[in-house]
Amino acid sequence: MHVTMTSGGMPSLPSSISPPPVTLPLRNIPGNYGLPLLGSIGDRLDYYWFQGPDKFFRSRMEKNRSTVFRTNVPPSFPFFFTDPRVIAVLDCKLFAHLFDMEIVEKKNVLVGDFMPSTSFTGNMRVCAYLDTSESQHSKIKNFITDILRRSSRIWIPALESNLSTMWDGIESEMAKNKKSSFRNFLQPALFNFFSKTLAGADTAKSPEVAKSGYMDVIIWLGLQLGPTIHIGVLQPLEEIFLHSFRLPFFPIASRYQRLYDFVQKEGTLPLPLNHMCIRDRSKEMDLIYSVVYETLRLDPPVPTQYARARKDFKLSSYNSAYNIKKGELLCGYQPLVMRDPKVFEEPEAFKPDRFRGEKGAALLDYLFWSNGPQTGMPSEHNKQCAGKDLVVLTAVVFVAYIFRRYDSIAGEGGSITAFQRAN
């Protein structure tokens, strides 16, 4: 299966799943935003309360008989001065437009028209909110890339060390309670790992940070993104206290400062550059890679992606084209996009070997979890996650470690309930 790239940097569909190019008919975008204020309130309640994000997008896609339509997404009125109007794009061909930096921009649209206070980030707009046209974006993106390259030498040893500590803790708790909460050990392990590899700071030198640093990060992120997160179990309290206003910085201010001081004091200069491609060290584990890719397809870590039209352009689906005006906001919901039946056979099924072989490798052009295709290369000229390949490698090593340590393992409801150590 052969895949080519369009002039705008978007993958074109393989010939086996796309008909020969033709001039697409121009259609009006279906759907509407409803009455002023009332329409956005109704959509907000559907999104958070009555339907949830998945059913919200699915039901509107079915109603409009289209994978592109107009709708509102929260947060919105009455206490958010944001514009909830978006154009939803819910198939792979539409979704790819979100990464063409010639026609879209990413300034302050990480979570739509909503942006948390910069108090959470030292009164600075961090890289995620910068567009590629801003000079600061190149500086920060290149700095992040450099840090990741320098950390590659210790990435796998540090990860395996923390995984060993994590599973030792799980086994110890299971010996006492017959089960163990997985996340209670996973989150501290990941915090210690990233602290060491990205900042060169050893949490062993600060017992207080080692004990609660991971929770500080969770609270810090939760306060920023809380107004956009669907929980679905605490209504109407969720609507009243989580989705009605921007959450303040002050509850986490002292903990944020403690983490800042820790990194400033204990952080070390990055290691000398290591040009070895760490991906090559485990490239033979193609089945594990495929399992990781399939997990990212069905459950992407960032469900929604946004981009604002940099200029007027034509949005192309499989059988129609649509006029997009400069300034309009596009919204893609990845859990649906990654189930596009025109690209993925049996899209709802978890197929461990989906991404193996030549055919599977071609599908990586449509695995967009990292703010771009898996085959893409992060650079200062795009918004693709700088750590894309290291995220995949980390997941691969995580799975491989479990296979090496255990012959079998079982869990239920977020807890490990049984295991058999490997001989």
Side-chain angles (χ1 to χ4, degrees):
M1 182 179 291
H2 180 66
V3 179
T4 58
M5 301 297 290
T6 66
S7 60
M10 297 183 294
S12 61
L13 291 171
S15 58
S16 60
I17 55 177
S18 180
V22 296
T23 301
L24 297 174
L26 189 63
R27 291 184 55 199
N28 291 324
I29 299 175
N32 60 75
Y33 303 117
L35 295 173
L37 301 182
L38 295 179
S40 64
I41 292 176
D43 285 343
R44 166 188 159 175
L45 292 176
D46 279 345
Y47 190 93
Y48 284 137
W49 195 337
F50 303 122
Q51 297 180 326
D54 192 80
K55 187 175 180 180
F56 177 91
F57 286 108
R58 281 184 186 273
S59 63
R60 283 155 179 77
M61 184 171 66
E62 293 168 359
K63 177 182 177 181
N64 291 292
R65 298 181 180 180
S66 174
T67 54
V68 55
F69 53 86
R70 299 183 185 276
T71 189
N72 299 287
V73 294
S76 58
F77 181 83
F79 301 115
F80 290 97
F81 297 100
T82 56
D83 187 347
R85 297 174 298 175
V86 300
I87 297 170
V89 290
L90 301 180
D91 66 45
C92 282
K93 190 170 183 181
L94 290 166
F95 194 66
H97 291 78
L98 299 183
F99 315 115
D100 185 344
M101 302 311 298
E102 294 181 9
I103 60 174
V104 300
E105 65 169 331
K106 299 277 190 170
K107 183 176 180 180
N108 299 339
V109 294
L110 179 66
V111 281
D113 200 46
F114 167 80
M115 181 179 172
S117 168
T118 55
S119 299
F120 288 95
T121 51
N123 296 315
M124 297 173 56
R125 289 170 59 238
V126 294
C127 192
Y129 293 103
L130 297 174
D131 181 59
T132 53
S133 63
E134 300 178 77
S135 60
Q136 194 69 4
H137 177 269
S138 295
K139 297 177 183 177
I140 297 177
K141 188 71 173 282
N142 288 334
F143 172 75
I144 295 171
T145 301
D146 185 52
I147 291 294
L148 291 172
R149 286 174 179 164
R150 291 172 183 267
S151 70
S152 64
R153 180 173 298 173
I154 64 169
W155 195 272
I156 292 180
L159 177 59
E160 290 180 331
S161 174
N162 279 281
L163 288 176
S164 178
T165 300
M166 168 186 144
W167 286 105
D168 286 346
I170 289 174
E171 290 183 14
S172 178
E173 185 174 72
M174 289 185 66
K176 299 175 183 177
N177 305 325
K178 306 301 181 183
K179 66 178 182 178
S180 175
S181 176
F182 185 78
R183 292 184 180 87
N184 289 346
F185 293 92
L186 173 63
Q187 292 167 341
L190 290 178
F191 176 80
N192 295 338
F193 165 64
F194 286 120
S195 177
K196 181 66 174 179
T197 54
L198 300 183
D202 188 352
T203 56
K205 295 182 179 180
S206 175
E208 193 175 26
V209 170
K211 180 181 179 181
S212 62
Y214 76 95
M215 186 56 65
D216 297 342
V217 173
I218 291 173
I219 296 172
W220 175 74
L221 281 172
L223 288 173
Q224 292 180 74
L225 303 179
T228 71
I229 296 173
H230 167 69
I231 298 176
V233 295
L234 298 173
Q235 298 293 10
L237 298 181
E238 181 180 334
E239 281 307 296
I240 297 172
F241 295 107
L242 189 63
H243 299 149
S244 292
F245 47 82
R246 293 175 187 267
L247 302 179
F249 172 62
F250 72 83
I252 196 63
S254 61
R255 293 188 174 195
Y256 177 89
Q257 188 63 46
R258 183 177 65 186
L259 290 176
Y260 179 92
D261 293 340
F262 165 70
V263 173
Q264 187 178 54
K265 179 182 178 182
E266 304 297 343
T268 58
L269 291 175
L271 297 168
L273 273 174
N274 176 23
H275 295 288
M276 175 183 65
C277 180
I278 60 179
R279 222 175 5 179
D280 291 342
R281 296 178 61 179
S282 56
K283 65 182 180 181
E284 67 276 8
M285 299 187 292
D286 62 326
L287 178 57
I288 297 181
Y289 269 94
S290 182
V291 167
V292 169
Y293 291 143
E294 182 72 338
T295 302
L296 290 169
R297 180 184 75 87
L298 291 173
D299 190 17
V302 181
T304 52
Q305 303 242 1
Y306 296 87
R308 194 177 298 280
R310 194 183 296 275
K311 59 184 180 181
D312 293 356
F313 71 92
K314 282 186 170 54
L315 179 73
S316 299
S317 185
Y318 295 116
N319 51 21
S320 301
Y322 307 86
N323 282 325
I324 302 295
K325 299 296 184 183
K326 179 180 178 179
E328 289 190 303
L329 189 63
L330 306 180
C331 170
Y333 183 64
Q334 283 202 81
L336 282 185
V337 174
M338 294 293 94
R339 288 168 167 81
D340 186 342
K342 291 186 180 295
V343 176
F344 301 103
E345 297 177 1
E346 300 180 64
E348 298 292 340
F350 183 91
K351 302 178 70 172
D353 60 350
R354 185 186 297 274
F355 292 95
R356 298 181 76 184
E358 182 180 353
K359 184 177 179 180
L363 291 176
L364 293 176
D365 272 318
Y366 311 100
L367 185 64
F368 295 119
W369 70 272
S370 62
N371 206 17
Q374 183 61 34
T375 50
M377 181 67 68
S379 77
E380 64 187 83
H381 304 296
N382 61 38
K383 294 297 295 180
Q384 189 156 31
C385 174
K388 169 181 71 76
D389 292 327
L390 284 172
V391 169
V392 172
L393 177 68
T394 299
V396 166
V397 173
F398 187 97
V399 175
Y401 182 92
I402 295 175
F403 284 139
R404 290 207 320 266
R405 181 164 177 144
Y406 301 104
D407 283 336
S408 65
I409 190 167
E412 181 180 352
S415 294
I416 303 297
T417 56
F419 67 87
Q420 181 178 348
R421 288 294 296 262
N423 297 323

